[in-house]
Amino acid sequence: MLIHQIKMPVQKRSIERLEKVVETTILMLETQSIEQCSIQEISTLSGVPRNYIYQYFPTINHLFSLIVSRYFAKLRPYLISDAERYRGWLILDIIEDILAKACRFYNENKVASILILGGPVNIDGFSLQEMVIDQISEDLIMMLKQISISFALQNQNSITLMIELMFALMKRSFYHHGKITIEIQKEILLVCEAYLEKKSIFL
């Protein structure tokens, strides 16, 4: 995966230059189309030499992968930060609350939506999206076990597939509306409820 190919700097000046590159890329994505975002343009706007950028990011997708990983690092604790709060809740109510948080996060972070919901940049980008889904499903399973939620779940795959369905609807909403709408959030909950009932997870 691309994220594992990135060699991060250790010296202070190099770190500062890299952060300038990341900040410039995020600003470009917020104000321009992803197609306009290139290493050459980032170099021009950031003042960081192109050859220096290539040392750490051989392609623009390596840079995108780093940015996605940073947004995901913020998203994970935001989604499931206080498991005890959910003690005694029904599973669907927990999912509704976590969904609302996820939608709020994406709607407030345009670049995260562009890079994660906007569709894979390439096959490595797609793998990164799947990593996000897999990790969120693992976090959810761990949280449900932590608060002793009883549900008839044979394996983690069922929760992962449900999150995949949620993710697909969120992506569609972003593609058509530039955000995850309230209407789509309601549709996502309907899909989750039907899926959980079919899987007898409420039993």
Side-chain angles (χ1 to χ4, degrees):
M1 190 175 290
L2 292 181
I3 189 65
H4 302 309
Q5 300 172 12
I6 299 172
K7 178 184 66 174
M8 300 299 291
V10 293
Q11 295 183 346
K12 181 180 178 181
R13 176 164 170 75
S14 294
I15 293 172
E16 290 174 348
R17 295 176 93 183
L18 183 140
E19 291 305 317
K20 182 67 175 176
V21 168
V22 171
E23 291 170 6
T24 300
T25 305
I26 290 174
L27 180 61
M28 287 185 67
L29 289 170
E30 287 176 341
T31 56
Q32 303 177 32
S33 68
I34 193 170
E35 291 77 18
Q36 294 175 292
C37 196
S38 66
I39 296 292
Q40 177 61 60
E41 190 64 20
I42 293 167
S43 172
T44 300
L45 293 177
S46 67
V48 177
R50 182 175 56 179
N51 289 341
Y52 175 86
I53 298 174
Y54 279 128
Q55 288 182 43
Y56 299 100
F57 307 111
T59 70
I60 190 67
N61 291 324
H62 286 83
L63 180 50
F64 289 160
S65 293
L66 176 65
I67 294 171
V68 167
S69 69
R70 290 188 175 186
Y71 276 114
F72 185 48
K74 295 177 182 179
L75 177 61
R76 282 184 68 190
Y78 178 67
L79 290 183
I80 307 174
S81 57
D82 185 12
E84 286 302 315
R85 175 170 174 265
Y86 295 122
R87 191 175 292 279
W89 289 34
L90 296 175
I91 295 178
L92 192 61
D93 291 334
I94 294 174
I95 291 171
E96 181 176 6
D97 191 66
I98 292 175
L99 171 65
K101 289 181 180 179
C103 293
R104 191 179 310 118
F105 179 87
Y106 284 120
N107 287 341
E108 291 176 355
N109 293 278
K110 181 181 178 181
V111 174
S113 293
I114 290 170
L115 295 179
I116 300 175
L117 300 180
V121 177
N122 58 14
I123 189 62
D124 290 292
F126 180 74
S127 297
L128 194 58
Q129 289 180 351
E130 291 304 303
M131 182 197 74
V132 169
I133 292 171
D134 287 344
Q135 188 60 64
I136 289 175
S137 68
E138 289 177 15
D139 290 346
L140 180 56
I141 290 289
M142 186 177 299
M143 186 204 68
L144 292 175
K145 289 179 179 178
Q146 180 181 338
I147 59 177
S148 302
I149 294 290
S150 177
F151 58 102
L153 185 63
Q154 296 302 316
N155 54 57
Q156 182 180 319
N157 193 51
S158 294
I159 289 292
T160 303
L161 292 177
M162 183 186 68
I163 293 175
E164 191 88 52
L165 293 170
M166 297 168 69
F167 197 79
L169 290 172
M170 291 164 72
K171 287 174 65 175
R172 181 164 183 82
S173 183
F174 179 73
Y175 176 76
H176 284 285
H177 307 290
K179 64 179 181 179
I180 306 169
T181 65
I182 295 297
E183 290 72 24
I184 287 294
Q185 290 183 50
K186 292 177 181 177
E187 293 296 321
I188 292 172
L189 284 175
L190 287 175
V191 168
C192 289
E193 183 174 15
Y195 184 80
L196 291 171
E197 287 181 346
K198 191 68 175 178
K199 287 285 185 175
S200 298
I201 292 177
F202 285 146
L203 298 180

